[in-house]
Amino acid sequence: MPAAPVPPSSWLVAVPRPIPAYDFAAPHGHAGTFPVGCRVLVPWRGEPLVGVVVGAGSERQSHRLREALQLLDAPERPWVPAATVQALGEWAASAGLPLGLVWDDLLGVGWAPALAHRVRAVAGADLTAFAENAAPAAVPGPQWSDGAGYLPALLDAVREQGLLEEEFTPVQPTVSRIYPTAQGQGPLTPKQAEAAEWLAEYPGQESLSSWARGAGVSSSVVAAVLARGHAALHEEAAPPPALPPCAAPWSPGLPDSLPVAERWRLNGGKFAARARALAPRIQAQLQAGGSVLVLVPEHATLDRAWAALSGLAEPCGTGAALFSGLLSPEQREHSWEQIRSGAARLVVGSYLALTAPLASLGLLLVLDEGSDAYKLSSGSRAWVPDTAQAVAGAHGAELGTAGVVPAVETVKWPALELPAPRVRLHTVDYGAAPTQPELGPLSMPGQAQSSLGYPLSHDLRAVLRQVQERGRQAALLAPRRGYSALLRCPQCDYAPQCPNCDVALRFHRSAHQLMCHQCGHRQNVPRSCANCGEAMWQTKGPGTEWLAQEVAQLLPGMPVYRVDRDHQDDLSALHAGGSGVVVGTQLLLSQPAPPELALLAVTLADTWLNVPDFRASERYHALLWELAEWHPARAPLLLVQTFQGTHPALEALRRSQSEDAGQSVSLYPRQEWELRRTLGYPPHACLAQVEVAARDRDRARAAADAVAAALYTAGATAQEVLGPAPAPIARVRGVYPYHLLLRARSPERLRELLDAVGSVRAGGRVRVDVSPRHLS
């Protein structure tokens, strides 16, 4: 019989810092199973820090390592599954990211456990030399004592010499409750006696105030009862925090029509129809003893997915757990323990659920896989669908995607396509001559801007009046927040600029200020043009404030609401069925659709197209479909104002409603797939954006040229390196960014290019974004 493998004595540990994983020696005396995926306490800058064991360390350098302090999880019940640890390690290596940064982003619980710390000197050790100017009590003695009573730096110095024994034990949370006692002293007044009698009937009150409210007396009365010993405070274990309740149990009662494949997609229909189509596959995995993880991009989809899918778990003999950053730290820990114990094998959550400790993961679902909300805006800048694919592969799990329209990257996967949602589409094409001049949006040249049909076209005005007459609801999607994109001098076309960024300042009428939406700079509106002295200003580029004002003038007496990052009105009256119009940015779509919604209008669709990004038209197409399915039951009129009325993304939406065309929601993504194959963009290439920035323009340009030179020296071709070039916004927050776009045929080749970037010591700040979502 072969001997059991000896566990490595050196562990590779990732700590939540933007650094690589480092080697640490195993804790003194540890001889158990290698604890990959377990949390471990390590000494870090003089204090204990929680890390995750992600691999075996280098035995050759073990003599130079600090010793880990204590293992926090049993190896048979790791905090994170070993397969997930492997997947994140491989993905981070392919993206050239430090493991600590990746783990800090993707592990949302467990970094700060409540621990009691006890210390003592090893037998026979005299530690007084470590505190020469302090009394002997300032250092640990031979008896156990509270580690919080000593300076962290002193403990670390003793620890480093191997003269300190330490214990870290979990601290269970407790709460104080008030109970009646029979040992009271002295008589009570009538009111105090009334309070004591009430407490005897309802013991275990959380606070004096809750006791006083329940008994109908003042706080001074119950305080007197407590002071006289007729009641006492007792510490007891805190109950687990309440978690969102699961939906009512249900089973689909339908056959599984999804593709049988390693990767597949589900598109078309509305959200409820897609949930019904997913249900048989989810329940089949749960009934077979497997686990299912459902990832969602943002909070609105999280609520819908939880309501639609959480009820599938109970008929399969298991539970469902919701996990996202919206939960409190206590709720996240409780939910994590439910998953880790196996009590919940269906998890619905945000990207933070990607590391959930699910045993036997059989199915990983990514809803709305093309949503930009999956892109982390800072830190590792991970693109979550890429990471999810790595995790599914490491677990040997199916990977499924589901959304109204597929992303271009997934359009060739085996698919089940449901019928396209019904769309009532009306286009106002500002770029084409109207067929009925008296009704067209740009009739009668020479009129004032407000009469030309912009920002509200003649058609949109007519439909809005109908909405008011019939007591219905409308939603207008604005291209930007604030009042206008800029203020412009009508005499010389000068527009006030941000002093920190190369952009025009946005006008916010409610605050009567100019604001930069890049750096947040604010300033008052100047009295006159700094260029020619003209005292009048002309607004250009309507935002939510302007549109809300136009609607209020058009529909006197009609409630008008505004929803954007600066201002969010209470929409409860609208959601209760009251008539009204809400004007908002895309933030509006993170809320449920008003129940009586009759009109959805995109006030200027070209805003989503006129950006220097190859994904712009795909985002525009996805937005149109998102609007089309926003209301769960009805099909409001979708009115699109645009200067590109024949754009293929809009035409594909129109053609999907043609009964004889046989078109589907994947029509436009398939066209984009072919176009990107010709141009060499994802999914036919792997991308990374390199940003080189400095506060001096010439220094930034020289640093970017140095990065490009290093790439070409390493063998890169002109097809693999685009740039360097100034960023679309040439200066942001006083810094000049230059961009290079790396375009490789495979992940391995991209890794080679990133290694060449990492070898450069440029004179500016260098940032790498793998799988970038915004190139502007």
Side-chain angles (χ1 to χ4, degrees):
M1 182 176 178
V6 177
S9 59
S10 174
W11 298 347
L12 195 62
V13 178
V15 296
R17 300 290 186 271
I19 56 176
Y22 283 134
D23 285 356
F24 287 88
H28 181 71
H30 177 84
T33 308
F34 179 47
V36 64
C38 293
R39 295 170 303 160
V40 62
L41 279 172
V42 296
W44 189 262
R45 294 188 175 179
E47 297 193 40
L49 181 67
V50 175
V52 176
V53 180
V54 296
S58 172
E59 298 292 339
R60 292 175 299 175
Q61 297 183 6
S62 61
H63 64 283
R64 285 190 260 163
L65 303 181
R66 294 293 300 272
E67 190 176 86
L69 304 180
Q70 185 169 315
L71 195 62
L72 297 181
D73 306 307
E76 59 272 14
R77 286 190 64 207
W79 195 249
V80 180
T84 303
V85 173
Q86 174 191 344
L88 292 189
E90 293 174 353
W91 176 81
S94 68
L97 294 170
L99 260 179
L101 185 64
V102 173
W103 279 99
D104 191 23
D105 276 348
L106 299 183
L107 183 60
V109 65
W111 294 117
L115 299 170
H117 182 200
R118 297 199 308 163
V119 298
R120 70 179 179 184
V122 299
D126 181 3
L127 306 184
T128 54
F130 288 90
E132 296 177 355
N133 300 322
V139 294
Q143 304 300 321
W144 287 111
S145 56
D146 186 0
Y150 306 99
L151 292 173
L154 181 142
L155 289 182
D156 194 55
V158 179
R159 181 187 298 130
E160 192 168 12
Q161 297 302 316
L163 301 177
L164 189 68
E165 292 185 38
E166 298 180 85
E167 279 187 357
F168 297 87
T169 54
V171 176
Q172 298 300 321
T174 60
V175 293
S176 295
R177 302 285 190 190
I178 307 172
Y179 289 92
T181 67
Q183 293 82 30
Q185 298 177 357
L188 299 176
T189 67
K191 280 191 173 293
Q192 292 169 354
E194 182 183 345
E197 290 173 2
W198 187 90
L199 182 63
E201 188 176 354
Y202 302 100
Q205 291 300 304
E206 296 180 356
S207 64
L208 290 176
S209 59
S210 66
W211 178 13
R213 284 195 305 270
V217 298
S218 68
S219 296
S220 61
V221 171
V222 297
V225 177
L226 184 67
R228 294 183 181 185
H230 291 272
L233 286 169
H234 292 276
E235 290 288 326
E236 57 186 51
L243 295 175
C246 294
W250 69 285
S251 294
L254 298 171
D256 185 352
S257 301
L258 293 169
V260 178
E262 182 181 343
R263 300 182 302 177
W264 48 264
R265 63 178 176 87
L266 167 66
N267 300 110
K270 291 202 172 185
F271 190 91
R274 295 195 296 274
R276 288 192 297 270
L278 290 170
R281 182 63 57 88
I282 292 174
Q283 286 201 326
Q285 287 287 348
L286 297 177
Q287 288 166 350
S291 301
V292 177
L293 173 58
V294 182
L295 295 182
V296 298
E298 34 75 30
H299 301 148
T301 308
L302 178 64
D303 292 340
R304 288 197 298 175
W306 179 251
L309 302 177
S310 60
L312 295 170
E314 186 175 327
C316 302
T318 186
L322 184 145
F323 193 87
S324 83
L326 289 180
L327 301 180
S328 68
E330 295 76 18
Q331 287 176 313
R332 287 202 298 272
E333 184 132 1
H334 183 43
S335 183
W336 198 265
E337 285 300 337
Q338 284 191 326
I339 302 167
R340 190 162 163 247
S341 68
R345 290 188 284 110
L346 171 60
V347 177
V348 180
S350 67
Y351 72 94
L352 291 176
L354 195 58
T355 52
L358 284 165
S360 305
L361 180 63
L363 173 61
L364 200 163
L365 284 171
V366 182
L367 304 188
D368 299 330
E369 77 278 8
S371 171
D372 287 334
Y374 279 124
K375 183 69 174 179
L376 303 192
S377 59
S378 60
S380 64
R381 297 188 180 183
W383 172 237
V384 174
D386 281 355
T387 315
Q389 190 164 336
V391 170
H395 282 268
E398 288 182 45
L399 177 65
T401 63
V404 63
V405 61
V408 175
E409 285 80 1
T410 64
V411 72
K412 293 292 185 177
W413 291 9
L416 170 63
E417 289 196 3
L418 305 176
R422 178 169 171 253
V423 182
R424 296 166 55 218
L425 180 65
H426 178 74
T427 304
V428 176
D429 189 355
Y430 287 125
T435 55
Q436 294 176 289
E438 70 279 5
L439 298 177
L442 294 177
S443 59
M444 301 174 64
Q447 289 181 313
Q449 185 181 30
S450 60
S451 301
L452 288 175
Y454 186 75
L456 305 181
S457 68
H458 293 184
D459 294 1
L460 178 53
R461 288 171 179 266
V463 180
L464 283 171
R465 291 191 188 98
Q466 292 178 12
V467 169
Q468 183 182 35
E469 292 167 1
R470 298 175 185 179
R472 305 292 287 279
Q473 300 169 335
L476 273 59
L477 196 64
R480 60 185 63 85
R481 58 192 170 103
Y483 189 84
S484 66
L486 52 85
L487 286 182
R488 185 175 63 182
C489 174
Q491 193 73 23
C492 67
D493 283 342
Y494 169 79
Q497 300 288 305
C498 174
N500 308 314
C501 312
D502 283 349
V503 293
L505 292 169
R506 304 287 178 90
F507 177 42
H508 288 247
R509 184 169 182 170
S510 59
H512 200 67
Q513 283 189 322
L514 298 177
M515 182 187 301
C516 176
H517 288 182
Q518 296 295 323
C519 70
H521 169 80
R522 293 171 179 260
Q523 67 183 54
N524 294 327
V525 177
R527 293 181 178 274
S528 60
C529 174
N531 189 43
C532 70
E534 172 65 44
M536 296 295 292
W537 292 106
Q538 183 181 60
T539 53
K540 183 176 177 62
T544 51
E545 287 185 78
W546 185 342
L547 288 164
Q549 173 187 284
E550 291 274 341
V551 173
Q553 292 174 352
L554 176 68
L555 309 176
M558 186 75 159
V560 179
Y561 307 91
R562 185 157 65 92
V563 174
D564 56 41
R565 202 167 74 185
D566 300 324
H567 182 93
Q568 298 185 36
D569 286 324
D570 181 6
L571 303 183
S572 56
L574 204 63
H575 287 297
S579 63
V581 179
V582 55
V583 178
T585 59
Q586 276 185 265
L587 182 64
L588 179 62
L589 300 181
S590 66
Q591 303 192 22
E596 299 299 322
L597 188 66
L599 169 67
L600 260 171
V602 184
T603 55
L604 187 58
D606 306 270
T607 306
W608 283 268
L609 291 170
N610 297 337
V611 291
D613 194 326
F614 71 92
R615 285 194 175 93
S617 57
E618 181 190 9
R619 285 194 189 94
Y620 172 50
H621 181 68
L623 172 66
L624 294 175
W625 277 116
E626 185 179 2
L627 292 169
E629 72 149 357
W630 188 34
H631 196 287
R634 64 172 66 206
L637 176 67
L638 177 58
L639 191 149
V640 179
Q641 297 183 163
T642 177
F643 284 89
Q644 303 178 59
T646 59
H647 192 280
L650 185 59
E651 283 296 310
L653 190 74
R654 184 179 293 111
R655 291 176 62 188
S656 70
Q657 306 301 302
S658 175
E659 294 182 1
D660 58 348
Q663 303 296 345
S664 72
V665 291
S666 65
L667 169 66
Y668 185 71
R670 290 182 184 277
Q671 295 174 355
E672 278 287 290
W673 192 92
E674 295 293 345
L675 178 62
R676 292 188 193 176
R677 180 168 64 174
T678 302
L679 299 176
Y681 282 108
H684 309 286
C686 300
L687 293 188
Q689 186 179 62
V690 181
E691 181 182 277
V692 184
R695 292 195 171 274
D696 178 78
R697 189 196 302 269
D698 293 337
R699 183 179 180 184
R701 182 171 53 243
D705 289 340
V707 172
L711 285 164
Y712 288 123
T713 301
T717 66
Q719 287 72 35
E720 293 177 322
V721 181
L722 304 181
I729 300 178
R731 182 170 58 110
V732 179
R733 297 180 178 88
V735 172
Y736 295 89
Y738 277 73
H739 288 170
L740 297 95
L741 188 65
L742 307 185
R743 189 171 55 178
R745 61 185 179 274
S746 67
E748 294 75 21
R749 178 56 180 163
L750 182 62
R751 177 66 255 169
E752 293 173 0
L753 297 177
L754 293 177
D755 287 342
V757 173
S759 67
V760 181
R761 296 294 175 263
R765 182 196 67 201
V766 179
R767 289 180 177 173
V768 176
D769 183 5
V770 177
S771 297
R773 298 297 294 179
H774 291 276
L775 301 182
S776 55

